[in-house]
Amino acid sequence: MKKSWRKPLFTTIKILVSLGLLYFVFTKIDWDLLAEEWRIANKFLLFVGFISFLISQVLSVLRVDLYFKKAEIQLSFINNLRLYLLGMFYNFFIPGGVGGDAYKVIALNKHFDQPVKTITSAVFFDRFIGLCAICILICLGIVFIPLDIEFWIKAVIFSIGLIGALVGPYILGLLFPRFKSVFYPTLLYSFVIQAFQIGTIVFSLLAIHPEANIFTYILIFLVSSVLSVVSFAGIGIRETVFYYSASYLNFNPDVSAGVALMFSFITLVTSLFGAIYLFKRIKF
């Protein structure tokens, strides 16, 4: 297959996966029940969840800045935030999950005297370390979830997560010495970022369904975040994982899917801020 066809093909597959899963889940949801749950939801807690998500995005800007500095790209916080929001907008609204990242590479290459490969590496490792943090949190959190799994299996998974957190950044530093000094700090940033995104889920859950098992929902959210790489902006995957996990764990699947939809909605609203910089040029 010619290389020029790969990206459009993968993009099309992601969009079809998202649309297919959304259609499947939406036909299962009791929308009258969900609408009533949202109507009586605690609006203050939903707002706190939104603020928690915004904080996670600000921290994400600070995290990627560490990689940019190692790539000898000096950006002010404001310009970095503008670029990040515009990237979010592209990722959420433009077909192709890496559209925002590709735009960042092109824009920075145009204004800074750094090779595309170096800039791409900075953007890639920012994404990669975030994914690593999610996988580590899943491994560490498995012991707190009431699943019917042998204790020794949980212990092994927990050990893998702990070793990954302690040794993973060191190994990455040996393989990619340019970014060696920032792998541990950015992993720590990633844990805090995930904590605030988990906060969005927790506050949304408390607003809609306060008696739910919060720890289990956190694990479901983390798993859906990993699986979102095969869909368009995570849409469809998150709602499907929440819906069917709830059925398996004896939760209310409609409420569970509603929490996932709320997170997607918050992400959408935040991404819209990036549309400003489609018309207002970022001055580097």
Side-chain angles (χ1 to χ4, degrees), residues 161-178:
L162 188 60
I163 293 170
L166 296 176
V167 180
Y170 175 76
I171 295 174
L172 285 173
L174 294 178
L175 296 174
F176 307 97
R178 173 188 282 269

Side-chain angles (χ1 to χ4, degrees), residues 120-161:
T120 301
S121 296
V123 174
F124 168 78
F125 282 119
D126 176 64
R127 288 274 192 169
F128 181 71
I129 204 71
L131 182 61
C132 289
I134 295 173
C135 292
I136 290 170
L137 288 173
I138 291 173
C139 292
L140 296 179
I142 196 74
V143 298
F144 301 104
I145 308 303
L147 293 175
D148 188 19
I149 300 176
E150 294 286 344
F151 177 78
W152 71 268
I153 297 177
K154 288 187 175 183
V156 169
I157 296 174
F158 181 87
S159 300
I160 292 172

Side-chain angles (χ1 to χ4, degrees), residues 102-262:
Y103 174 81
K104 289 178 189 177
V105 172
I106 294 169
L108 293 173
N109 176 252
K110 181 179 179 180
H111 293 280
F112 295 91
D113 187 24
Q114 291 298 328
V116 170
K117 183 178 179 180
T118 301
I119 302 172
T120 301
S121 296
V123 174
F124 168 78
F125 282 119
D126 176 64
R127 288 274 192 169
F128 181 71
I129 204 71
L131 182 61
C132 289
I134 295 173
C135 292
I136 290 170
L137 288 173
I138 291 173
C139 292
L140 296 179
I142 196 74
V143 298
F144 301 104
I145 308 303
L147 293 175
D148 188 19
I149 300 176
E150 294 286 344
F151 177 78
W152 71 268
I153 297 177
K154 288 187 175 183
V156 169
I157 296 174
F158 181 87
S159 300
I160 292 172
L162 188 60
I163 293 170
L166 296 176
V167 180
Y170 175 76
I171 295 174
L172 285 173
L174 294 178
L175 296 174
F176 307 97
R178 173 188 282 269
F179 302 106
K180 179 179 180 180
S181 64
V182 299
F183 282 127
Y184 276 109
T186 53
L187 181 63
L188 180 59
Y189 260 114
S190 298
F191 288 144
V192 179
I193 289 166
Q194 285 307 311
F196 278 102
Q197 294 209 357
I198 287 169
T200 301
I201 291 294
V202 169
F203 285 117
S204 298
L205 194 59
L206 291 175
I208 298 172
H209 195 58
E211 64 271 21
N213 187 314
I214 291 176
F215 283 110
T216 306
Y217 268 95
I218 289 172
L219 184 65
I220 293 171
F221 168 69
L222 292 172
V223 171
S224 71
S225 298
V226 174
L227 295 177
S228 66
V229 297
V230 299
S231 67
F232 176 54
I235 301 171
I237 284 286
R238 186 177 297 110
E239 289 76 12
T240 302
V241 171
F242 268 73
Y243 185 89
Y244 282 100
S245 296
S247 301
Y248 177 74
L249 296 167
N250 297 319
F251 297 159
N252 185 316
D254 299 303
V255 173
S256 187
V259 172
L261 283 169
M262 184 61 64

